[in-house]
Amino acid sequence: MTPPAPGPAVEVRRATSADARDMADIAEAAYAPYLDRMGGLRPGPMDADHAAAVLEDEAWVAELDGDVVGYVVLVDEADTMLLDNVAVVPSCQGRGVGRVLLLLAEERARATDCSRIRLFTHETMVENQALYQRNGYVETARGGEPGLVRVFYEKRL
């Protein structure tokens, strides 16, 4: 049996101010399925200032066939890189876009002499937790208040 032909390659590039609207739309679509699980609480990325992230942090977008389908926001914290947000439009989830963005985060962390990447997610976002674990992230803590319990992860580089 012949394996299926690979789909279009994911291209990544540094985000520009013109990408902020796409990033906000991606966050809205990617996090919408969690609203019910979170009792109506909006995940932080849905209300993030994406224009500021492009200007102040390290924001990257992923494209498929010229369309922005995902993004990652990284914040350098001396020897640690905070993976502040990663999101992929639902129609492109499961196609390797998130993995490409996680690998980019590792490349950028190494390039800035960070020894680890850290991130956190809401406890109800079990799909995200599985993705992080498959990519070598280790849970380091859980905590918060009722309705806002976060799961903290890190990956040593």
Side-chain angles (χ1 to χ4, degrees), residues 61-130:
V61 293
E63 296 180 329
L64 280 175
D65 294 326
D67 294 322
V68 175
V69 298
Y71 71 92
V72 64
V73 176
L74 306 170
V75 179
D76 191 346
E77 299 178 326
D79 73 333
T80 303
M81 183 71 74
L82 170 64
L83 195 160
D84 188 51
N85 187 23
V86 60
V88 176
V89 294
S91 63
C92 292
Q93 292 174 2
R95 296 175 58 188
V97 177
R99 178 160 172 69
V100 166
L101 291 169
L102 291 177
L103 290 172
L104 173 69
E106 290 180 32
E107 288 175 19
R108 296 303 306 144
R110 285 187 184 98
T112 56
D113 294 325
C114 292
S115 61
R116 66 189 177 112
I117 299 174
R118 71 178 191 91
L119 61 87
F120 55 88
T121 189
H122 192 272
E123 70 177 344
T124 62
M125 297 182 183
V126 294
E127 298 86 351
N128 296 350
Q129 293 171 47

Side-chain angles (χ1 to χ4, degrees), residues 1-96:
M1 181 173 190
T2 306
V10 177
E11 301 286 333
V12 292
R13 64 172 172 78
R14 196 71 186 256
T16 68
S17 295
D19 295 312
R21 178 76 255 156
D22 285 337
M23 293 167 64
D25 291 345
I26 291 167
E28 196 69 32
Y31 288 97
Y34 299 111
L35 292 171
D36 284 343
R37 290 188 207 173
M38 294 175 63
L41 180 68
R42 288 176 59 84
M46 293 178 89
D47 298 318
D49 185 341
H50 294 90
V54 169
L55 295 174
E56 299 167 10
D57 300 319
E58 192 171 324
W60 295 78
V61 293
E63 296 180 329
L64 280 175
D65 294 326
D67 294 322
V68 175
V69 298
Y71 71 92
V72 64
V73 176
L74 306 170
V75 179
D76 191 346
E77 299 178 326
D79 73 333
T80 303
M81 183 71 74
L82 170 64
L83 195 160
D84 188 51
N85 187 23
V86 60
V88 176
V89 294
S91 63
C92 292
Q93 292 174 2
R95 296 175 58 188

